[in-house]
C-alpha cells in the first residue's frame, strides 16, 4: 500500500477512533436531515457534558455511571433549550443564518463552561473501570478503549432501533423526508425537530466523554482552561464522516467513521511525529472531493441575506447638499474619530491594542462582500490572514521557499513593502484555489470545505519550516517593523496611523466596488444565478473575483498583523476559532454594508479595549450579542445606524416646503439602445433553430424530439398544458438543463456553451417567477442587464480608473432612459422585493431591452399578474419587439393574449409538438382542442380574442 505499513495496533486504534467519529457524525446527520442545518454548536454541547461528568465524578465523588447519565442529560437539555429558543425562532430564516446562530451558541456555551466550579482541577479524568486486555500479541486494550467499545456500539444500535422501531423514530424519518407531507398527516415538525436536537446533544456528550481520556483531557482543563474535548480538528473528522454518509444515511455514518478512523491511524503510524498533522490536509482534500462528487450541495432555497435594507432617498431631498453627501459625512466622522483617538491614549500598550482593532476591521471588511454580496459562506477567513503573515516572514528572512518537486532552490529577502505586495498576491492565489469548489457548491457545504481548510492550515500548513525558519521551530523569527519615508514604524503610534490609512483605503475600495457593476453582479449571482446568466454575467467569474478580493485583503491584513506582533506561533495565532469569530464580528456589524464590519470590529474588539474586561462588556460583545442581533436585529448594528439615517431624512423633509411632484418625463419615441455589440445573422438563417431537441431527467423524457424555427422579427407562441415541457424547452435553449439535439441561436451553434455565453450571443430570457434580484433596486437591476453591453472590469472598478467611471455614467443614463420608457420612474429606487408581480414583469422586460437581446424567450410573462395589467402586456411586448427588431418566443396560458400577438403558434403535449401554424389553424386543430382547449366552444371562441390595451407607459402605473 504505497509503502505504508499497516499494523494490527494501528487498525485497532483506528477502529476505536472511528466509532467515536461515527457517533458524533450521527448527531450532525440527524440535525441536518431534520432542519437542514450544520450544527457548529455540537462540539461545545459535548464539551459541556465532559465538564459535567468531570465535576460530578472527580470533584464530588459521584459514581461514574450516574455521573455519565447526568452529563448526557445535561447536554440533551441544552440541545432542547437551543432548539426551542433559537432554532424555532429562526426557522423561517436561511439555513446559513441558522448556521451562524450555532456559531454564536458555541461561543456562549464555551463561556458558560468556564463558569462551572473548579472542584476537580487536580484529578485525572474519571473512567468506570481499570482494566487492560492483551487481545493479541500486537494489540493491547486499556480502559479508555474498552469504554469506547462498550458505549459506541450500544449508542449506534440504540439509535437504529429508535429510528426504525418506534413511533417517534418514524415521525423523525417522515419529517426529514418531506416536512409538508408530514404536516398534512398530523405530524408535528416542531416536536420531531426537538427530538432530533435532543438526540444530537446526547450523542455529542457521549462522544466527548469517550474521547476526553484518549486526548488526555482532565476535569480541571475542561473547565479552567476551556479545553474542548470536541475541538475543530475533531469536528472536521465528524463532518467528513457525515459527508461520506451523504448527510442522510446512518449506516453509512458507521462505515464512514471506521474508514476515517482507520485511514488516520494508518497515516499517523507511517509518518514521523513532527508530521502527524498531515492528516488534516488529507481530510481537507477528502472534504473537497466528497462535496464536489459525492454529496453535491444544493443552493439554500431561502435567500441568504442579513443586510438591512436602506430606504431610498426622496428625489427632492437630493437638492440638499448634506443629504447628497450623507454617507461621506458618516465615514468622515468615523475615521475622524479614529484619527484623533491616539491623542487621548496615555500608554503605548493602548496604541498596540487599538492598532489590533484596526487590523481586525480590515479582516472583517471583505467578509461583507464575500458573504453579504456574493453569498459565499467562508469559515476560513483568518487562515488567509495567516497566509499573509507567514509569507511576509518567509520573503523577508531569506527562508527556503518550497518549490514543487524541489526543482531548484529559491530564497528571497525583500524589503517590507515588497513583502506585503507578495503576501497579498499569494493570498489572492490561495483564495482562488480554495474558492474553486464554490463554482460547484453553495452555502453550507462550502462552509464545510473552508472550515476544513482553516483546520488544515492551522495544524499543518503554518507549521512548515519555510515559515518558521526551521522544522524544529514553533515561532516565527523576529519581524523588524519598517522605516518608510523616514518614518520609523516600530513606533506604535506611527504604525497605528499607517494601519488607519490602510483601513481607509480598503474601505474606499469596497465602497467603490459596491457602486459599480462588479458589486451589482455579485449580488445578482447570489440572489438569482439563472437571471444573472441571462444577463450574460458569469457566475464563475463573480464567485472567483469575490474570493480573490477577500483573500487578498485578508492576506494584506496578515502582513500588518505579523508586523504589529513582531513574532508569534502561527499554529496558535490563526486558529479556526478566529475565523468563526470573524463571521460573528461581520454579522454583529451588519453584512452587506461597507461600514458594518468596521463597526462590528470596534464593537467586539474596541469596547473591551476602551472599557476594560468588565462583565457588561463581555456580555455585549460575546455570543449573547450575536444571538440577540440575529433574532431581533438581523441587519446588525447597521440596522440601528440606518434608523438614525432615516430620522435625519425625516427631519430634512419636514424642513422643506412642500412642492408639487415634478411631471413624469415623456417616453422617448424609441427604445434607448446604443449597443456596442454587433450581432450578425447569416442571410436566410432562422434566428432560432431546434432540431430533434431532447431533455431527459433520469428515466423521464421531458422534451421529446422538438424541432422548430423562428425567423427574424417573428413572434412565436408556445402553448400546452401544465407539464407539457414548455419551460423545460426554454431552459434547454438557455442552457440551464442538459439536452441533446441541435440548438442554433442567430445562426450560431450554441450546444455546449454555458448559459451566460449563450445569452451573450444575443439571446434574452424571462422567467416564470420574475423574482429578479430582491436586494437590488429597479435601477440597479436594469444596470446589471446593461453589463451585456459594457462589462465591468475588476481593477478599474476597484480603483476608479478608466474605463470604469465612463461606463458607469453611461449605464446609469441608459437605465434612466429605459425606466422612463416603461413608465417606472416612481419605482426607480425601490427594491425589487417590494414590487408587485406585474411591476417586476415590466422590470424584467426592461432588462431584456437593456441586454440588447435579439432573440427574446418569455416564459408566461403575465403569470400572477392582475387582469388590467395583463391587457396592457400585449401592446408592450409588440412595441418592444418592433423597436428592437427582435424575434420572440413566448410561453403563455392567456389564450386571447398569445393568439392576438403571435405570428405562429406551437402546441406541446408530453414534450412533443402536436400542432404548428397560424393562431387560427392551431386554435381549430382537433389535437389542440382535445389536449388543451377542450371541447367547450366558448373557450375556443375566447382564444380568438385580440389583446389590446394600454400604452406601454401605463403598464407600470
Amino acid at each position: 500500500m504505497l509503502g505504508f505499513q499497516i499494523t494490527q495496533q494501528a487498525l485497532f486504534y483506528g477502529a476505536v477512533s472511528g466509532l467515536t467519529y461515527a457517533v458524533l457524525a450521527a448527531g450532525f446527520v440527524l440535525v441536518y436531515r431534520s432542519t437542514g442545518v450544520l450544527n457548529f454548536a455540537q462540539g461545545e454541547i459535548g464539551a459541556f457534558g465532559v465538564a459535567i461528568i468531570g465535576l460530578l465524578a472527580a470533584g464530588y465523588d459521584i459514581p461514574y455511571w450516574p455521573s455519565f447519565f447526568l452529563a448526557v442529560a445535561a447536554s440533551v437539555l441544552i440541545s432542547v433549550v437551543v432548539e426551542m429558543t433559537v432554532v424555532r425562532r429562526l426557522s423561517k430564516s436561511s439555513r446559513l443564518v441558522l448556521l451562524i446562530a450555532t456559531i454564536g451558541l458555541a461561543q456562549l456555551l464555551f463561556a458558560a463552561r468556564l463558569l462551572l466550579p473548579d472542584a476537580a482541577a487536580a484529578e485525572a479524568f474519571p473512567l468506570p473501570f481499570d482494566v487492560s486486555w492483551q487481545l493479541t500479541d500486537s494489540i493491547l486494550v486499556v480502559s479508555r478503549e474498552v469504554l469506547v467499545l462498550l458505549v459506541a456500539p450500544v449508542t449506534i444500535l440504540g439509535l437504529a432501533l429508535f429510528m426504525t422501531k418506534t413511533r417517534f423514530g418514524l415521525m423523525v424519518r417522515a419529517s426529514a423526508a418531506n416536512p409538508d407531507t408530514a404536516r398534512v398527516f398530523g405530524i408535528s415538525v416542531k416536536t420531531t425537530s426537538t427530538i432530533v436536537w435532543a438526540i444530537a446533544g446526547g450523542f455529542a456528550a457521549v462522544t466527548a466523554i469517550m474521547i476526553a481520556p484518549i486526548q488526555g483531557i482532565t476535569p480541571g482543563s475542561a473547565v479552567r482552561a476551556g479545553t474542548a474535548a470536541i475541538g475543530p480538528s475533531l469536528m472536521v473528522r465528524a463532518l467528513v464522516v457525515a459527508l461520506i454518509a451523504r448527510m442522510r444515511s446512518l449506516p453509512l455514518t458507521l462505515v464512514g467513521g471506521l474508514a476515517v478512523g482507520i485511514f488516520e491511524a494508518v497515516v499517523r503510524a507511517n509518518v514521523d511525529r513532527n508530521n502527524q498533522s498531515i492528516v488534516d490536509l488529507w481530510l481537507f482534500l477528502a472534504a473537497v472531493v466528497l462535496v464536489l462528487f459525492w454529496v453535491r450541495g444544493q443552493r439554500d432555497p431561502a435567500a441568504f441575506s442579513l443586510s438591512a435594507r436602506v430606504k431610498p432617498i426622496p428625489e427632492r431631498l437630493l437638492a440638499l447638499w448634506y443629504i447628497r453627501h450623507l454617507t461621506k459625512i458618516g465615514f468622515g466622522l468615523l475615521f475622524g474619530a479614529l484619527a484623533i483617538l491616539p491623542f487621548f491614549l496615555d500608554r503605548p500598550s493602548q496604541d498596540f491594542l487599538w492598532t489590533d482593532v484596526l487590523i481586525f476591521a480590515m479582516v472583517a471588511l471583505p467578509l461583507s462582500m464575500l458573504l453579504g454580496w456574493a453569498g459565499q459562506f467562508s469559515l476560513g477567513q483568518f487562515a488567509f490572514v495567516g497566509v499573509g503573515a507567514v509569507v511576509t516572514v518567509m520573503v523577508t528572512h531569506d527562508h527556503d521557499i518550497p518549490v514543487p518537486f524541489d526543482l531548484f532552490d529559491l530564497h528571497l529577502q525583500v524589503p517590507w513593502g515588497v513583502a506585503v505586495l507578495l503576501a497579498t498576491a499569494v493570498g489572492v492565489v490561495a483564495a482562488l484555489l480554495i474558492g474553486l469548489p464554490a463554482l460547484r457548491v453553495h452555502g453550507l457545504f462550502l462552509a464545510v470545505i473552508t472550515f476544513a481548510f482553516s483546520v488544515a492550515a492551522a495544524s499543518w500548513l503554518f507549521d512548515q519550516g519555510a515559515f518558521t525558519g526551521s522544522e524544529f521551530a514553533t515561532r516565527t523569527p523576529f519581524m523588524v517593523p519598517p522605516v518608510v519615508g523616514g518614518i520609523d514604524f516600530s513606533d506604535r503610534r506611527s504604525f497605528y496611523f499607517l494601519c488607519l490609512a490602510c483601513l481607509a483605503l480598503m474601505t474606499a475600495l469596497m465602497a467603490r466596488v459596491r457602486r459599480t457593476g462588479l458589486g451589482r453582479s455579485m449580488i445578482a449571482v447570489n440572489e438569482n444565478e439563472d437571471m444573472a446568466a441571462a444577463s450574460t454575467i458569469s457566475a464563475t467569474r463573480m464567485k472567483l473575483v469575490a474570493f480573490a478580493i477577500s483573500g487578498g485583503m485578508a492576506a494584506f491584513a496578515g502582513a500588518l498583523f505579523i508586523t504589529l506582533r513582531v513574532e508569534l506561533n502561527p499554529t496558535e495565532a490563526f486558529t479556526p476559532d478566529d475565523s468563526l469569530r470573524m463571521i460573528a464580528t461581520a454579522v454583529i456589524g451588519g453584512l452587506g454594508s461597507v461600514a458594518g464590519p468596521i463597526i462590528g470590529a470596534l464593537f467586539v474588539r474596541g469596547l473591551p479595549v476602551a472599557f476594560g474586561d468588565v462583565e457588561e462588556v463581555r456580555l455585549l460583545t460575546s455570543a449573547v450579542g450575536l444571538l440577540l442581533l440575529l433574532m431581533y436585529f438581523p441587519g446588525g448594528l447597521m440596522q440601528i445606524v440606518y434608523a438614525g439615517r432615516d430620522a435625519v431624512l425625516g427631519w430634512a423633509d419636514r424642513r422643506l416646503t412642500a412642492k408639487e411632484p415634478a411631471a413624469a418625463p415623456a417616453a422617448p419615441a424609441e427604445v434607448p439602445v446604443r449597443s456596442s455589440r454587433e450581432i450578425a445573422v447569416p442571410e436566410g438563417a432562422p434566428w432560432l433553430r431546434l432540431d430533434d431537441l431532447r431533455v431527459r431527467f433520469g428515466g423521464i423524457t421531458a422534451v421529446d424530439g422538438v424541432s422548430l424555427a423562428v425567423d427574424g422579427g417573428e413572434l412565436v407562441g408556445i402553448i400546452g398544458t401544465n407539464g407539457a415541457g414548455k419551460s423545460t424547452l426554454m431552459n434547454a435553449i438557455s442552457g440551464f438543463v442538459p439536452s441533446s439535439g441541435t440548438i442554433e441561436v442567430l445562426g450560431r451553434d450554441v450546444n455546449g456553451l454555458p448559459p451566460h455565453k449563450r445569452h451573450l450571443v444575443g439571446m434574452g430570457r424571462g422567467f416564470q417567477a420574475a423574482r429578479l434580484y430582491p436586494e437590488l433596486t429597479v435601477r440597479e437591476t436594469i444596470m446589471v442587464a446593461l453589463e451585456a453591453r459594457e462589462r465591468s472590469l475588476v481593477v478599474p472598478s476597484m480603483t476608479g480608473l478608466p474605463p470604469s467611471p465612463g461606463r458607469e455614467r453611461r449605464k446609469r443614463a441608459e437605465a434612466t432612459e429605459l425606466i422612463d420608457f416603461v413608465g417606472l420612474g416612481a419605482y426607480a429606487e425601490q427594491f425589487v422585493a417590494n414590487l408587485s408581480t406585474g411591476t417586476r414583469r415590466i422590470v424584467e422586460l426592461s432588462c431584456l431591452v437593456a441586454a440588447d437581446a435579439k432573440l427574446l424567450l418569455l416564459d408566461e410573462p403575465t403569470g400572477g399578474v392582475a387582469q388590467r395589467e395583463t391587457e396592457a402586456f400585449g401592446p408592450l411586448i409588440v412595441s418592444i419587439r418592433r423597436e428592437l427588431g427582435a424575434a420572440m418566443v413566448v410561453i403563455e396560458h392567456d389564450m386571447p393574449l398569445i393568439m392576438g400577438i403571435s405570428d405562429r403558434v406551437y402546441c406541446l403535449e408530453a414534450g412533443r409538438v402536436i400542432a404548428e401554424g397560424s393562431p387560427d389553424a392551431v386554435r381549430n386543430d382537433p389535437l389542440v382542442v382535445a389536449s388543451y382547449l377542450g371541447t367547450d366552444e366558448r373557450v375556443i371562441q375566447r382564444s380568438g380574442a385580440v389583446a389590446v390595451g394600454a400604452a406601454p407607459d401605463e403598464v407600470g402605473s
Side-chain angles (χ1 to χ4, degrees), residues 34-66:
S34 174
T35 62
V37 177
L38 286 175
N39 179 18
F40 272 80
Q42 185 92 333
E44 280 301 330
I45 292 173
F48 201 89
V50 169
I52 293 294
I53 191 174
L55 178 66
L56 296 178
Y60 299 146
D61 294 324
I62 297 176
Y64 180 87
W65 290 112

Side-chain angles (χ1 to χ4, degrees), residues 417-439:
V418 177
V420 172
L421 294 178
L422 288 174
T424 303
V426 173
V428 169
V429 174
L432 286 173
L433 293 175
I434 301 303
L436 285 175
L439 308 182

Side-chain angles (χ1 to χ4, degrees), residues 386 521 549-550:
S521 297
I549 295 175
S550 178

Side-chain angles (χ1 to χ4, degrees), residues 406-606:
D406 295 325
L407 296 176
F408 53 87
D409 291 332
L410 179 62
H411 300 263
L412 285 179
Q413 191 168 5
V414 300
W416 181 83
V418 177
V420 172
L421 294 178
L422 288 174
T424 303
V426 173
V428 169
V429 174
L432 286 173
L433 293 175
I434 301 303
L436 285 175
L439 308 182
R440 296 279 298 275
V441 300
H442 307 277
L444 301 179
F445 292 127
L446 181 60
V448 172
I449 291 175
T450 53
F451 182 70
F453 166 70
S454 68
V455 171
S459 65
W460 178 80
L461 179 62
F462 299 150
D463 195 36
Q464 300 305 301
F467 304 134
T468 59
S470 167
E471 59 180 320
F472 304 106
T474 58
R475 301 183 68 83
T476 59
F478 191 80
M479 186 77 190
V480 179
V483 177
V484 180
I487 302 175
D488 184 0
F489 288 107
S490 61
D491 176 71
R492 287 181 172 173
R493 182 155 297 180
S494 298
F495 195 70
Y496 172 90
F497 283 110
L498 174 63
C499 290
L500 181 61
C502 291
L503 177 60
L505 177 61
M506 292 173 65
T507 302
L509 291 177
M510 282 291 95
R512 175 71 194 173
V513 167
R514 179 58 186 88
R515 292 195 304 271
T516 65
L518 201 62
R520 294 190 296 268
S521 297
M522 289 179 188
I523 296 173
V525 167
N526 175 36
E527 297 193 331
N528 194 338
E529 192 169 311
D530 289 347
M531 182 66 188
S535 298
T536 74
I537 294 172
S538 168
T540 297
R541 177 175 179 263
M542 287 300 103
K543 292 174 184 179
L544 290 181
V545 165
F547 262 100
I549 295 175
S550 178
M553 285 188 167
F556 177 84
L560 298 174
F561 186 90
I562 184 62
T563 306
L564 175 68
R565 281 163 174 74
V566 181
E567 67 170 350
L568 47 78
N569 183 336
T571 61
E572 296 177 357
F574 309 109
T575 66
D577 290 333
D578 292 313
S579 291
L580 298 181
R581 278 189 285 271
M582 292 311 308
I583 297 292
T585 300
V587 172
I588 286 174
L591 287 175
S593 67
V594 176
I598 302 174
I599 293 174
L602 292 172
F603 184 84
V604 173
R605 303 280 281 201

Side-chain angles (χ1 to χ4, degrees), residues 724-736:
K726 305 182 300 296
S727 294
T728 304
L729 176 66
M730 274 199 178
N731 286 336
I733 299 170
S734 302
F736 296 124

